[in-house]
Amino acid sequence: MAELRRHLRDRLIPFSAYYAKKLDGIDLDSLREPADLARLPFTEKADLLSSPEHPNKARDFVLIPDEKVLAKRLSTIVRAVMRGKARVKAGFEREFRPILMTATTGRSSDPVPFLYSQHDIANLEEAGRRLMVLCDSRPDYRHLNVFPFAPHLAFWQMHYAGLGFNTFCLSTGGGKTMGTDGNVAMLEKIKPDAIIGMPTFLYHLLTTAAERGKRWRNLRRIVLGGEKVPQGLRTKLRELCAALGSHDVKIMATYGFTEAKTAWPECAFGQSDAPTGFHLYPDFGIFEVVDPETGAPRGEREPGEIVYTPINARGSCVLRYRTGDLIEGGIAWDPCPGCGRTLPRLIGRISRVSNIREMNLGKVKGTLVDFNELEHILDDAPGLGSWQIELRKKDDDPLGLDELVVHAQAMPNADEATLRREIGDRLARGAEIRPNDIVFHDPQAMRDRQGVGKALKEEKLVDHRPKR
């Protein structure tokens, strides 16, 4: 809490246009223990979005230092005497000057830019080094980063992870740059020990390689980011690795979001079928779990919405940011049963509040459907490869009933009629809903539907209903 008070007093309040107003009158000395965080306001995605009245809202969240304020600080005066004014000025420029930008993906709203200073890039590199260690990598491993080239956290986190860990890490740019064929060819040439990328794209990449009879016997790690990783997908990826000749491959997810400017990995030393949680970095930021409706704090291992406050960031900074992500098992503070580390951990599945959508199904208007749960139900279906859920209106009538259509790709040797019944029965049992139709496609048609190699994040849920 001492570092939080220092961050608020020395950086956020004096140098952030948004928080200078928002935190006016806050008694910083009263912030002594985690429960005191409730004294501070939440920040939400809507606070970051531009409007006609305020077209550059994101700039208000950037730390822009006031030279007069810095010059009056005792620490600045002492350093100027010891090192000289020029070196002190250069140090402040490395700490605060924005030199890199990432942005939110903008699926539900306009993309929001987040700026990094040299200080933030050092944090990104250190976080990447920790990610490599927790994923049990080795400096002599060959890593292939297949995240798309984009101003997106996932790509830059893995780029700097390679630098921070001092290891070989080749970035292909994903499907948008080299296409599936180019990535398969690069895998053949590099023969990586570890592949890092989006779950859906990696699934298509390994499926294509298996269909072509490739043999990649030295795969040891698959690290996934940018999307949720249901257990069923882990199982399918492990089966594909075995088909390619690689056994005992560790498959780990990462959790990150643009506003945090870092990512956290699952522990490589836990059971692959029961991950021990995402290992967090308390020196980088403070995690909370709150009631998604009231904002009240949850206890240890209680489910709720993830809230994050970076305490060692520069550039764009947020405070008590409500992620909209729901964590199933809350935060745990006991030693990790896999590696023994005493870092706090996020436990269980992570899902999105925005994936709980209202549908008019005819019998009950305004039925809430949890598409987070549908994803897990479908990924666990045997014989089902890629899939996509489409929401649309019956006969394209804006006033008509909603329809749910499952677009599916059957895995080799799977019977479509049997799989059709399996999908319908699973959705009925797990979500009390039956699809209006199940349409089967070949692998390439499914890649086209999901935007594999074209979209930054492949689309597994599309809502084609007219906007209200």
Side-chain angles (χ1 to χ4, degrees):
M1 295 299 288
E3 184 55 39
L4 172 63
R5 293 196 302 272
R6 189 177 302 114
H7 177 64
L8 296 178
R9 182 186 65 245
D10 295 346
R11 296 184 285 271
L12 210 62
I13 293 176
F15 302 146
S16 167
Y18 181 81
Y19 291 111
K21 299 176 182 178
K22 200 75 172 175
L23 300 178
D24 185 36
I26 291 287
D27 179 9
L28 299 183
D29 289 334
S30 68
L31 304 175
R32 294 290 171 180
E33 55 188 38
D36 296 331
L37 288 168
R39 301 171 186 267
L40 300 173
F42 287 118
T43 304
E44 301 188 16
K45 183 65 171 286
D47 298 321
L48 299 164
L49 298 177
S50 297
S51 64
E53 299 77 24
H54 202 152
N56 195 13
K57 190 68 173 294
R59 179 182 171 84
D60 287 353
F61 290 84
V62 180
L63 300 186
I64 302 176
D66 185 327
E67 292 186 13
K68 294 180 180 179
V69 172
L70 289 174
K72 293 179 181 178
R73 290 180 176 173
L74 180 59
S75 59
T76 303
I77 296 171
V78 171
R79 280 187 287 171
V81 171
M82 300 294 292
R83 304 177 185 176
K85 293 183 178 180
R87 291 184 63 185
V88 172
K89 181 179 180 181
F92 282 133
E93 288 177 345
R94 286 192 297 272
E95 182 178 1
F96 289 104
R97 175 179 289 167
I99 59 173
L100 176 71
M101 187 191 84
T102 63
T104 57
T105 54
R107 279 187 170 181
S108 58
S109 59
D110 291 336
V112 177
F114 266 70
L115 299 179
Y116 294 64
S117 71
Q118 192 69 255
H119 180 96
D120 295 310
I121 290 176
N123 285 344
L124 200 60
E125 192 170 307
E126 171 59 19
R129 185 195 67 79
R130 296 178 186 184
L131 189 150
M132 288 285 194
V133 171
L134 288 165
C135 290
D136 193 26
S137 186
R138 303 281 190 275
D140 60 341
Y141 278 6
R142 286 165 288 182
H143 301 80
L144 202 66
N145 174 12
V146 298
F147 281 117
F149 289 134
H152 186 256
L153 172 63
F155 170 79
W156 288 106
Q157 178 67 92
M158 290 317 306
H159 170 75
Y160 282 106
L163 296 180
F165 199 55
N166 192 29
T167 187
F168 180 85
C169 187
L170 175 66
S171 298
T172 70
K176 294 184 71 174
T177 302
M178 299 182 66
T180 302
D181 290 344
N183 278 272
V184 170
M186 192 58 67
L187 280 160
E188 280 283 282
K189 183 174 293 186
I190 299 299
K191 294 181 172 55
D193 300 273
I195 309 177
I196 307 101
M198 295 279 192
T200 307
F201 180 68
L202 268 176
Y203 173 80
H204 285 297
L205 189 61
L206 297 183
T207 298
T208 300
E211 290 171 351
R212 296 177 183 178
K214 303 296 183 183
R215 302 294 289 174
W216 297 334
R217 293 182 172 85
N218 57 325
L219 271 179
R220 295 176 172 87
R221 307 283 184 272
I222 290 181
V223 181
L224 307 168
E227 299 171 354
K228 295 190 294 295
V229 186
Q231 188 58 45
L233 179 59
R234 296 174 195 261
T235 300
K236 291 171 184 176
L237 288 173
R238 198 172 291 112
E239 292 171 351
L240 285 169
C241 288
L244 293 166
S246 292
H247 301 275
D248 300 321
V249 177
K250 294 182 178 179
I251 299 175
M252 293 146 288
T254 59
Y255 174 60
F257 47 96
T258 302
E259 297 81 3
K261 300 197 288 189
T262 192
W264 303 269
E266 288 179 331
C267 178
F269 302 94
Q271 295 293 324
S272 59
D273 58 345
T276 58
F278 297 96
H279 285 45
L280 311 177
Y281 318 137
D283 56 331
F284 275 32
I286 300 172
F287 274 91
E288 304 171 72
V289 174
V290 304
D291 186 300
E293 297 293 332
T294 67
R298 297 285 203 183
E300 184 175 358
R301 287 187 178 266
E302 290 185 349
E305 181 182 359
I306 298 171
V307 175
Y308 183 66
T309 297
I311 58 176
N312 190 27
R314 307 296 188 269
S316 302
C317 288
V318 292
L319 174 71
R320 296 196 79 202
Y321 181 72
R322 298 188 67 156
T323 62
D325 293 331
L326 303 175
I327 181 70
E328 184 180 55
I331 298 178
W333 290 88
D334 58 313
C336 173
C339 67
R341 288 180 173 86
T342 56
L343 296 168
R345 292 168 290 129
L346 290 174
I347 301 296
R349 298 188 304 187
I350 295 176
S351 56
R352 292 289 298 171
V353 174
S354 60
N355 264 12
I356 300 176
R357 307 197 182 192
E358 184 177 271
M359 293 189 67
N360 174 6
L361 302 176
K363 295 181 180 178
V364 180
K365 292 187 177 182
T367 300
L368 293 179
V369 179
D370 187 350
F371 288 92
N372 298 302
E373 194 59 39
L374 295 191
E375 288 192 21
H376 292 284
I377 291 171
L378 292 180
D379 269 312
D380 291 342
L384 177 61
S386 300
W387 56 267
Q388 183 186 75
I389 292 175
E390 178 190 12
L391 306 183
R392 65 192 188 192
K393 286 290 187 180
K394 180 176 175 60
D395 300 323
D396 294 324
D397 180 358
L399 301 179
L401 297 178
D402 292 330
E403 291 187 330
L404 186 150
V405 178
V406 176
H407 298 275
Q409 171 206 340
M411 296 182 72
N413 302 321
D415 177 68
E416 288 189 3
T418 302
L419 186 55
R420 184 186 299 276
R421 288 193 299 273
E422 177 71 18
I423 292 171
D425 291 345
R426 279 177 167 266
L427 291 175
R429 290 194 305 269
E432 297 182 351
I433 186 173
R434 280 196 176 273
N436 296 85
D437 197 6
I438 299 172
V439 182
F440 286 95
H441 304 271
D442 61 38
Q444 186 55 53
M446 280 304 303
R447 293 182 187 121
D448 291 341
R449 289 196 67 88
Q450 291 184 331
V452 174
K454 298 177 182 178
L456 183 59
K457 291 185 178 182
E458 287 75 31
E459 295 186 318
K460 300 180 77 171
L461 170 64
V462 293
D463 193 341
H464 289 152
R465 295 175 297 177
K467 303 299 181 184
R468 295 179 182 177

